[in-house]
Amino acid sequence: DAGVTQSPTHLIKTRGQQVTLRCSPKSGHDTVSWYQQALGQGPQFIFQYYEEEERQRGNFPDRFSGHQFPNYSSELNVNALLLGDSALYLCASSSRNSPLHFGNGTRLTVT
Amino acid sequence: ILNVEQSPQSLHVQEGDSTNFTCSFPSSNFYALHWYRWETAKSPEALFVMTLNGDEKKKGRISATLNTKEGYSYLYIKGSQPEDSATYLCAFIKSNFGNEKLTFGTGTRLTIIP
């Protein structure tokens, strides 16, 4: 049984570009949450998707958007990249009342 | 903005010694508290899900307690081993619906000295 898988593992982009990160949840999970972890900080909540809709959103600008597909997989899109967007992006899946299961993350570097 | 604080930020412990660290969270509208262990080059792994005041959970040499009235949880590690070296994250859920967003603390980085 595959756990949460994220792709790509590493990515280097230039300021102003756009990026798409992908996540496949653990089998049986219907909810996907995205987190950003900058150096020296705990994971910061970006948003959560359930039933193909954004259910909750953290304190991130509209440049951060997402999508959930009928198979529960999800994408995180970031437009107009800034240097400060460099971070580890974690995807976590869950079902009701379960703890989060995390993927290994995508390390994004913006130059 | 919810404030979830963990202390200390980092900790060095001699192998075989026991240790503990703290997670503080808002005491109002409590729903659940999670503890995760995050080893280098791996993804965070759930240790405990705690929901009731006075809860005490145990997994091998690791245990956790919960005080929702005063807003804190302790994580204890007995007889530390090198494989316990990791960052320990707590995460607070404020909701009565469950499955809502978790607010993470910044973590306690534990290093076990052989």
Side-chain angles (χ1 to χ4, degrees):
Chain A
D1 175 28
V4 179
T5 57
Q6 289 186 245
S7 63
T9 53
H10 295 84
L11 203 50
I12 299 174
K13 289 284 190 179
T14 305
R15 267 182 303 176
Q17 284 189 313
Q18 178 264 343
V19 69
T20 297
L21 310 182
R22 294 178 176 83
C23 173
S24 292
K26 179 179 167 66
S27 177
H29 286 181
D30 55 10
T31 303
V32 174
S33 304
W34 286 92
Y35 291 83
Q36 180 197 65
Q37 196 200 22
L39 203 60
Q41 296 185 21
Q44 301 292 313
F45 176 75
I46 303 175
F47 42 53
Q48 183 182 78
Y49 276 84
Y50 173 72
E51 291 189 341
E52 301 179 52
E53 289 192 1
E54 183 182 291
R55 183 159 73 172
Q56 284 208 42
R57 189 178 182 92
N59 190 27
F60 279 79
D62 292 344
R63 298 187 295 110
F64 288 76
S65 63
H67 190 78
Q68 186 179 34
F69 299 94
N71 66 354
Y72 307 118
S73 66
S74 177
E75 287 182 350
L76 163 65
N77 301 293
V78 187
N79 293 325
L81 284 166
L82 303 173
L83 293 179
D85 295 332
S86 295
L88 179 69
Y89 289 85
L90 290 166
C91 168
S93 71
S94 58
S95 57
R96 188 167 178 82
N97 294 326
S98 77
L100 298 179
H101 289 250
F102 285 88
N104 287 331
T106 294
R107 172 76 60 187
L108 173 65
T109 303
V110 182
T111 62
Chain B
I1 295 177
L2 295 174
N3 217 14
V4 180
E5 297 181 354
Q6 291 188 246
S7 63
Q9 273 192 315
S10 66
L11 196 52
H12 288 74
V13 173
Q14 202 69 41
E15 183 178 351
D17 286 352
S18 297
T19 187
N20 65 84
F21 29 92
T22 309
C23 172
S24 302
F25 51 85
S27 54
S28 59
N29 298 316
F30 174 87
Y31 180 75
L33 187 91
H34 293 189
W35 280 100
Y36 293 84
R37 174 170 59 201
W38 195 351
E39 296 176 67
T40 303
K42 294 185 179 179
S43 51
E45 171 198 5
L47 285 174
F48 303 115
V49 175
M50 309 183 81
T51 55
L52 298 175
N53 184 43
D55 246 359
E56 186 166 337
K57 300 236 174 175
K58 191 173 179 183
K59 192 175 187 176
R61 295 178 291 98
I62 305 177
S63 60
T65 60
L66 179 68
N67 183 324
T68 61
K69 294 189 186 311
E70 295 181 39
Y72 65 83
S73 174
Y74 292 137
L75 191 81
Y76 299 90
I77 302 179
K78 188 177 175 183
S80 304
Q81 298 298 308
E83 60 264 29
D84 297 329
S85 294
T87 296
Y88 291 83
L89 292 164
C90 69
F92 168 77
I93 303 176
K94 173 192 168 185
S95 167
N96 60 356
F97 295 108
N99 209 28
E100 304 294 353
K101 70 167 186 172
L102 276 65
T103 300
F104 281 89
T106 52
T108 292
R109 185 186 297 270
L110 175 65
T111 304
I112 305 302
I113 305 165

